[in-house]
């Protein structure tokens, strides 16, 4: 059992390292702050570029959501914004230099079917959220999802073989310790917008318990044309010496119909 766990840990570490080379890791802590030279997009709209890191300083220009700035430095000044003590950054915008609140900067930009999406954390009391915005008709549309784990990567996929879908955006939780949520939150992009369709869980306790949920899309290995296969697996170890354990698996085929997944894979079996 211990050997298998060590192998699993090494595999996860390799996957995480490789993923970091391909995707951006995000967290709401200081180690994830923007760095000098970063090209960063705005998630705020009509963002004030100021002459000093102070909300009372002169406004140099107004910037629109989706425009970008280059980070010069993080200042020691801050302002409360969206539940955080948000630092001011000194930035370069076109041929101007000024200051803006960090909470108005997007973690990154993702594009699906020519639509750009921007991301930022927010907090209400002890609850953490990810705000997702995209530009529409000169303004923006916002989706907001509660996070089960603050450490995330934002990833995208094409339609994965599903009709009437413009792409898939998903938030991948990065589990850095046993017992932390390591699943994903899935959004489907379609002609009417962006819809949250599922929150899938994955939790592992070393040598004790494992639980995971995943989607298998038509283009994936083992996929079924026109279907999304939902698979849930769990494994519990009762005693290592005698290799006493219990495993279970649940599978259900889902369809993407009129902007939603059917049937409801969370429904309980009636007695």
């Amino acid at each position: 059992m211990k050997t298998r766990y060590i192998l699993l840990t090494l595999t996860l570490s390799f996957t995480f390292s490789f993923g970091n080379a391909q995707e951006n890791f995000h967290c709401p802590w200081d180690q994830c702050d923007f760095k000098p030279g970063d090209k960063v997009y705005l998630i705020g709209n009509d963002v004030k570029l100021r002459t000093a890191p102070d909300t009372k300083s002169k406004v140099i220009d107004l910037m629109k959501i989706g425009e970008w700035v280059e980070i010069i430095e993080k200042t020691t000044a801050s302002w409360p914004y969206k539940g955080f003590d948000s630092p001011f950054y000194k930035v370069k915008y076109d041929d101007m230099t000024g200051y803006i609140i960090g909470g108005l900067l997007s973690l990154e930009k993702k594009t699906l079917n020519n639509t750009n999406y921007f991301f930022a954390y927010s907090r209400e009391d002890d609850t953490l959220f990810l705000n997702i915005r995209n530009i529409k008709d000169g303004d923006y549309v916002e989706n907001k999802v509660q996070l089960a784990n603050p450490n995330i990567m934002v990833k995208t996929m094409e339609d994965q073989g599903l009709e009437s879908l413009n792409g898939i955006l998903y938030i991948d939780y990065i589990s850095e310790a046993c017992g932390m949520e390591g699943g994903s939150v899935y959004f489907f992009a379609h002609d009417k917008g962006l819809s949250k369709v599922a929150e899938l869980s994955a939790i592992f306790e070393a040598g004790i318990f494992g639980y995971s949920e995943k989607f298998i899309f038509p283009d994936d290995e083992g996929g079924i044309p026109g279907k999304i296969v939902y698979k849930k697996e769990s494994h519990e170890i009762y005693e290592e010496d005698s290799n006493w354990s219990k495993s279970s698996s649940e599978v259900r085929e889902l369809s993407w119909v009129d902007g939603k997944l059917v049937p409801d894979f969370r429904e309980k079996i009636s007695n």
Side-chain angles (χ1 to χ4, degrees):
M1 291 293 180
K2 292 179 180 177
T3 302
R4 285 206 295 270
Y5 174 68
I6 292 170
L7 288 173
L8 175 62
T9 303
L10 289 173
T11 301
L12 289 174
S13 297
F14 174 78
T15 302
F16 178 68
S17 298
F18 179 78
N20 263 334
Q22 306 297 318
E23 305 284 347
N24 293 322
F25 171 76
H26 303 294
C27 68
W29 324 123
D30 289 346
Q31 63 264 34
C32 292
D33 285 342
F34 300 113
K35 303 296 188 292
D38 284 352
K39 178 181 176 180
V40 183
Y41 292 88
L42 299 174
I43 189 171
N45 205 20
D46 292 332
V47 175
K48 296 178 177 67
L49 181 68
R50 295 183 178 274
T51 57
D54 188 307
T55 56
K56 295 181 180 179
S57 61
K58 181 181 176 181
V59 175
I60 303 171
D61 206 349
L62 291 178
M63 300 175 289
K64 294 293 185 181
I65 182 172
E67 294 189 288
W68 66 272
V69 298
E70 181 180 337
I71 302 294
I72 297 176
E73 64 180 8
K74 176 186 172 182
T75 74
T76 57
S78 62
W79 186 259
Y81 185 78
K82 296 284 187 180
F84 292 97
D85 193 22
S86 185
F88 277 89
Y89 283 89
K90 185 178 182 180
V91 302
K92 181 179 179 181
Y93 171 65
D94 289 338
D95 59 350
M96 296 172 282
T97 299
Y99 298 84
I100 58 176
I101 295 173
L104 298 169
L105 298 171
S106 179
L107 301 175
E108 63 177 301
K109 179 183 77 171
K110 290 293 186 182
T111 303
L112 283 173
N113 196 37
N114 297 318
T115 297
N116 295 324
Y117 295 92
F118 307 94
F119 311 87
Y121 288 107
S122 63
R123 186 166 57 195
E124 297 175 12
D125 296 323
D126 294 327
T127 304
L128 188 66
F129 297 90
L130 185 69
N131 299 71
I132 306 170
R133 292 179 178 179
N134 63 279
I135 303 170
K136 185 176 181 181
D137 300 328
D139 204 346
Y140 64 83
V141 177
E142 181 173 88
N143 284 270
K144 181 175 167 182
V145 58
Q146 184 175 335
L147 296 176
N149 181 344
N151 306 316
I152 62 170
M153 288 182 177
V154 180
K155 302 181 180 181
T156 58
M157 297 186 288
E158 299 299 323
D159 61 26
Q160 296 302 101
L162 294 168
E163 296 183 359
S164 304
L165 202 61
N166 296 331
I168 299 169
L169 185 151
Y170 63 107
I171 302 161
D172 219 3
Y173 292 128
I174 306 303
S175 178
E176 297 181 316
C178 293
M180 285 187 69
E181 178 59 64
S184 301
V185 183
Y186 280 84
F187 291 83
F188 285 1
H190 48 93
D191 290 342
K192 294 182 180 179
L194 189 70
S195 298
K196 189 182 85 169
V197 296
E199 296 186 35
L200 303 185
S201 183
I203 299 176
F204 297 92
E205 288 282 356
I208 300 173
F209 177 79
Y211 174 91
S212 67
E213 298 175 299
K214 68 177 182 178
F215 281 155
I216 302 172
F217 295 99
D219 285 351
D220 293 337
E221 182 178 351
I224 299 173
K227 299 290 184 180
I228 301 169
V229 178
Y230 165 73
K231 188 172 185 178
K232 178 171 70 176
E233 296 178 305
S234 64
H235 184 75
E236 188 172 359
I237 298 171
Y238 298 126
E239 183 183 86
E240 286 192 354
D241 292 340
S242 63
N243 201 22
W244 182 16
S245 64
K246 180 179 73 173
S247 297
S248 66
S249 179
E250 179 181 328
V251 176
R252 194 167 191 184
E253 294 178 13
L254 312 174
S255 299
W256 174 246
V257 180
D258 296 330
K260 60 182 179 180
L261 280 181
V262 293
D264 178 7
F265 65 94
R266 293 296 186 199
E267 69 180 350
K268 303 296 184 181
I269 298 175
S270 58
N271 296 324

